[in-house]
Amino acid sequence: MRLVARPVGVPADECFELAEVDLPDPADGQLLVHNRYISVDPYMRGRMTDAKSYVPPFELGKAMEGGAIGEVVASASPDFAAGDLVIHNLGWRDLALVPAGGARKIEPTPGVSPSAHLGVLGMPGLTAYVGLLDIAEMKPGDTVFISGAAGAVGSVAGQIAKARGAARVVGSAGTPTKVAWLRENGFDAAFDYHDGPVRKLLKEAAPDGIDVYFDNVGGDHLEAAISALKPFGRAALCGAISSYNATEPPAGPNNLSLAVGKRLTLRGFIVTDHGRRMKDYLPEMAGWLREGTVRWQETVVDGLENATGAFRGLLAGENLGKMVVRLNG
Amino acid sequence: MRLVARPVGVPADECFELAEVDLPDPADGQLLVHNRYISVDPYMRGRMTDAKSYVPPFELGKAMEGGAIGEVVASASPDFAAGDLVIHNLGWRDLALVPAGGARKIEPTPGVSPSAHLGVLGMPGLTAYVGLLDIAEMKPGDTVFISGAAGAVGSVAGQIAKARGAARVVGSAGTPTKVAWLRENGFDAAFDYHDGPVRKLLKEAAPDGIDVYFDNVGGDHLEAAISALKPFGRAALCGAISSYNATEPPAGPNNLSLAVGKRLTLRGFIVTDHGRRMKDYLPEMAGWLREGTVRWQETVVDGLENATGAFRGLLAGENLGKMVVRLNG
C-alpha cells in the first residue's frame, strides 16, 4: 500500500494506491516474510505529512512502513529459518523483503494471538508502561486520568495503573460501548466525552483531583486535566489524536499558567527512546496477563485493501483496543 | 497600605487605602521594625484576587504583606536588639510588629545596599538559580532563552546561565533601554518583543534552537519557546506576567503537541519549595558579585504612598531589575 499524495485533513482514498510488484528472492542477509498482521497506529498520520517530525515522512510513491508480524517464507540469513514467526517494520504489504537485522523472532505463546506483539506485548504496551511509570512517575495511591482510554495504549495504561496500586483510575472514551468496557476492565470511573464539557465530566469522576494524567488526546482533555491536577501533579504527553487530522493549529490549553502555582510537570515522550525498558515490561505484563489482572482487547479488520479504511477508523475512534489488519494466507 | 477592593484588570487606586494606626509596644517575642525597603513582586497580583492559589489572598481591609528590610526599633525578643537590620514579610507599611520567628538578621555587606536582600540575595535571586539549574536542569553548553529578562528574576537568571557555562543566552524585554542593558550584561542576544512576532525574533536570536526556556511571561513567549526548543528541551515555568491583569483566560500555546515528538518537559515551580537551596546559592552568588560576573540592577521608588503605583509599574514593565520601594527615615 503506497502513499501517493499527502493528505490534508482526513486521509482520503485518493492518497493511497494498492500496487502489485514482483519481489526477487531474498539476497544475502534478507528474509522473505509473509505478513499475517499489520499495525495501524496514530503516529503514522504524522509520517503521511511532509513536516519535520521525530520520524521522517513516508516517501510518496513507495509502500508505507509500520509494525508487522509475519512468517518467514524464505531466509538468506543463518539466524532465521522458513516458518519462523517474526516482528519487523515493513507492514502495509502482504510480502516483505526484510533485512535480518530489522526482524526479531517471536515465540508463539499458547492462547495468545501473535498480533498481541503489535499491541499489549509490543510498542503500545511499552508506551503505556513507560508513560505511566517513568514519565508521569505514578506512585501507589495516586488518582490517574487517562484519555483515549479504550485505545491500544490507554486501555493498557489504565490497567497497569491499577495493577501498580493507583487508588483511582478514570478513563475517557468516545462511545458508550467503550465506556462500558472501561468500567468492566479495571477503571474505577469512565465517561463519554460527548456527554458534556470534559472539565465537568472529569470533575464528577475525580472530585478530589488527579495526580497523574496520561494524555493521548490533547485539546480540551489536556485543558481539563491541567485544571484537575493536584499540586505536584504530572502529565505524560503521549499524543494528541484530537488534532492529527486538523488543518488549523488547535487552541492550546488556556489554563497552562496553573502549572506554576501547582508545580505541575508536563512531559512529552516517544516510546522508541525507552526500548531498554522492554526487558522489565514483558515479564511483568506476562504475569498480569496470566493472572487476569490485565485484559487485552483488539479490533481486527481483514485484508490489506481495507487497511487505509482501518487507519481512518482508528483516527475516528472506531477501534476498541488495538487496531490491527489481518492478512489472509 | 490596605487592600480595600479586589482589582479587576489593572489594580486601580480605589482598591487601596493608606491608613494610619497606632502600634502598641512589642509584646513578648515581637519586634517593632522600621521598614527601609519594601518589595513589590508580580506574584502579589494573585494575592489581590480571591482565587484559590498557592498563597492565600490578601484580606480586604487589612494591610498587605510582602518582603521588607527594616531596622529593629524595639525588641522584646532575646535574639534581636535595637539597630539590627532584619528581613521579614510584613512589608507594605512603615512600621511593623514582627514576630521574632518571622524575622532574619542581615549582616550589612560593604558596598551592597540592604535592598539586595529583596532581590539578588533574596527570593528573586534564588528563583532564578533554582528555576534554571534544578527545574530546567541547565547544562554547560546549553542555549538558554529567558523572557522578562530585564526583570528581577530574569536579569539574574541570564547571568547565572552564563556563569554556569551556557553557550548562548538570549533575553527578551519590552523597551530599547532594557534590551541595551541585557546586551551590556552578559546576554549574547536580546530583543524587544514589540519589534515583531516573538517566534520570528527568537528564531533570529537563536537560529539553531534552544535547550532551556525560563518563562516569566507566558502567552506568545511560551508558544515561541515551544517551537524553538530542541529535542529533550526543558522549560521552567516561573510566572506569566503577560496575563496577571487579564480579565479573560489567555489563549494557550497552540503548538503544545510539539512536546510529544520533541520530548519536551514543561515544569512549574515556586521558590518557597526550595528554601534549602539558599545555602548553596548565597555563597556562589556572593562570589559572582565579588568577581563582577553578575551585575545587579534595581529600580527604586520612594515613599509608601507611591508603592501601589510602583506595583502597577512593575506589571507594566516599567522596572529595570528589581523594583523596590524605599521608605524615608
Side-chain angles (χ1 to χ4, degrees):
Chain A
M1 184 68 78
R2 292 172 175 166
L3 184 72
V4 293
R6 302 214 175 270
V8 176
V10 175
D13 281 338
E14 292 72 39
C15 299
F16 306 100
E17 174 187 87
L18 193 56
E20 276 190 54
V21 294
D22 286 321
L23 289 181
D25 287 335
D28 219 31
Q30 283 186 331
L31 317 171
L32 184 66
V33 177
H34 193 152
N35 284 336
R36 297 299 183 187
Y37 290 94
I38 65 171
S39 189
V40 288
D41 298 284
Y43 81 90
M44 292 170 174
R45 182 64 185 80
R47 297 195 69 181
M48 294 176 187
T49 305
D50 188 14
K52 216 165 52 174
S53 175
Y54 58 94
V55 276
F58 291 131
E59 286 181 61
L60 287 183
K62 290 201 171 176
M64 295 185 288
E65 299 177 354
I69 306 281
E71 196 184 314
V72 175
V73 178
S75 170
S77 157
D79 301 327
F80 294 87
D84 284 348
L85 207 58
V86 293
I87 182 168
H88 62 92
N89 203 44
L90 293 179
W92 290 99
R93 63 199 95 189
D94 287 297
L95 278 165
L97 267 177
V98 181
R104 186 166 50 80
K105 229 180 283 190
I106 285 171
E107 298 304 324
T109 313
V112 177
S113 161
S115 60
H117 293 275
L118 298 176
V120 70
L121 297 177
M123 185 267 282
L126 183 63
T127 302
Y129 186 79
V130 163
L132 195 67
L133 303 180
D134 298 350
I135 305 297
E137 298 180 20
M138 192 208 89
K139 303 284 181 297
D142 279 353
T143 294
V144 176
F145 172 46
I146 296 167
S147 60
V153 173
S155 61
V156 176
Q159 297 182 80
I160 292 176
K162 287 305 282 186
R164 279 294 197 106
R168 185 171 177 80
V169 179
V170 175
S172 72
T175 70
T177 308
K178 290 178 181 182
V179 169
W181 188 90
L182 294 176
R183 290 189 181 136
E184 285 157 17
N185 286 277
F187 285 74
D188 299 289
F191 61 82
D192 184 332
Y193 61 80
H194 298 100
D195 287 347
V198 178
R199 206 182 285 224
K200 179 170 161 283
L201 297 167
L202 178 56
K203 180 90 188 162
E204 288 164 6
D208 298 328
I210 61 176
D211 301 285
V212 161
Y213 173 49
F214 195 115
D215 187 28
N216 294 307
V217 172
D220 54 355
H221 276 82
L222 178 55
E223 195 168 276
I226 289 170
S227 281
L229 278 163
K230 295 195 262 190
F232 302 100
R234 290 89 60 202
L237 308 181
C238 181
I241 199 167
S242 67
S243 67
Y244 286 178
N245 281 336
T247 51
E248 298 288 327
N254 66 11
N255 56 355
L256 186 55
S257 64
L258 292 176
V260 178
K262 295 203 284 188
R263 299 84 133 183
L264 305 183
T265 301
L266 284 71
R267 177 170 285 171
F269 73 106
I270 57 177
V271 68
T272 44
D273 293 332
H274 301 270
R276 61 180 169 70
R277 286 285 268 156
M278 203 55 133
K279 70 176 189 327
D280 307 311
Y281 172 61
L282 281 181
E284 197 164 0
M285 180 50 76
W288 287 327
L289 288 173
R290 222 171 17 240
E291 299 156 6
T293 311
V294 171
R295 275 180 285 174
W296 171 241
Q297 183 74 33
E298 64 183 11
T299 300
V300 181
V301 169
D302 279 296
L304 184 56
E305 68 281 12
N306 296 318
T308 55
F311 178 67
R312 263 196 302 271
L314 173 76
L315 294 180
E318 290 168 9
N319 56 307
L320 179 53
K322 177 74 182 99
M323 181 81 101
V324 292
V325 178
R326 184 166 47 198
L327 306 183
N328 295 319
Chain B
M1 185 68 78
R2 292 171 174 164
L3 185 72
V4 294
R6 303 214 173 271
V8 176
V10 176
D13 282 337
E14 292 73 39
C15 299
F16 307 100
E17 175 188 85
L18 192 57
E20 278 191 50
V21 294
D22 288 321
L23 290 181
D25 288 335
D28 219 33
Q30 283 186 330
L31 318 171
L32 185 64
V33 177
H34 193 153
N35 284 336
R36 297 298 183 188
Y37 291 94
I38 65 172
S39 188
V40 290
D41 299 285
Y43 82 90
M44 293 172 173
R45 182 64 185 80
R47 296 196 68 181
M48 293 177 186
T49 305
D50 189 15
K52 219 167 45 174
S53 174
Y54 59 95
V55 276
F58 292 132
E59 286 181 60
L60 286 183
K62 291 200 173 175
M64 295 185 289
E65 300 177 355
I69 305 282
E71 194 184 316
V72 175
V73 178
S75 169
S77 157
D79 301 327
F80 295 86
D84 283 350
L85 207 59
V86 294
I87 183 166
H88 62 92
N89 203 44
L90 293 179
W92 290 100
R93 64 199 95 188
D94 288 298
L95 279 163
L97 268 177
V98 181
R104 186 165 50 81
K105 231 179 284 189
I106 286 171
E107 297 307 324
T109 313
V112 177
S113 162
S115 60
H117 293 276
L118 298 176
V120 70
L121 297 177
M123 185 267 283
L126 183 64
T127 301
Y129 188 78
V130 163
L132 195 67
L133 303 180
D134 298 350
I135 304 298
E137 298 180 19
M138 192 209 89
K139 304 284 183 297
D142 279 352
T143 294
V144 176
F145 172 47
I146 297 169
S147 60
V153 173
S155 59
V156 178
Q159 296 182 81
I160 292 176
K162 287 305 283 185
R164 280 295 198 102
R168 185 171 178 78
V169 178
V170 176
S172 71
T175 69
T177 308
K178 292 179 180 180
V179 168
W181 188 91
L182 294 175
R183 290 188 180 137
E184 285 156 18
N185 286 277
F187 285 74
D188 299 289
F191 61 82
D192 184 333
Y193 61 81
H194 298 102
D195 287 348
V198 179
R199 206 183 286 224
K200 178 169 160 284
L201 296 168
L202 178 56
K203 180 90 189 164
E204 286 162 10
D208 298 328
I210 61 176
D211 301 286
V212 161
Y213 173 51
F214 194 116
D215 186 28
N216 295 305
V217 172
D220 53 356
H221 276 82
L222 179 55
E223 196 169 274
I226 290 171
S227 281
L229 277 163
K230 295 194 262 189
F232 302 101
R234 291 89 59 202
L237 308 181
C238 180
I241 200 166
S242 67
S243 67
Y244 285 179
N245 281 335
T247 51
E248 297 287 328
N254 66 12
N255 56 355
L256 186 54
S257 65
L258 291 176
V260 178
K262 294 203 284 187
R263 299 84 135 183
L264 306 183
T265 300
L266 284 71
R267 177 170 285 172
F269 75 107
I270 57 177
V271 68
T272 45
D273 293 334
H274 302 271
R276 61 181 169 70
R277 286 283 269 158
M278 202 55 132
K279 69 174 191 327
D280 308 312
Y281 172 61
L282 281 181
E284 196 163 3
M285 179 51 73
W288 288 327
L289 289 172
R290 223 171 17 242
E291 299 156 5
T293 312
V294 171
R295 274 181 286 176
W296 171 239
Q297 183 74 32
E298 64 184 9
T299 300
V300 180
V301 169
D302 279 297
L304 183 56
E305 67 280 12
N306 297 317
T308 54
F311 178 68
R312 262 195 302 271
L314 172 76
L315 294 180
E318 289 167 10
N319 56 305
L320 178 54
K322 176 74 181 104
M323 179 80 101
V324 291
V325 179
R326 182 166 50 197
L327 306 183
N328 296 319

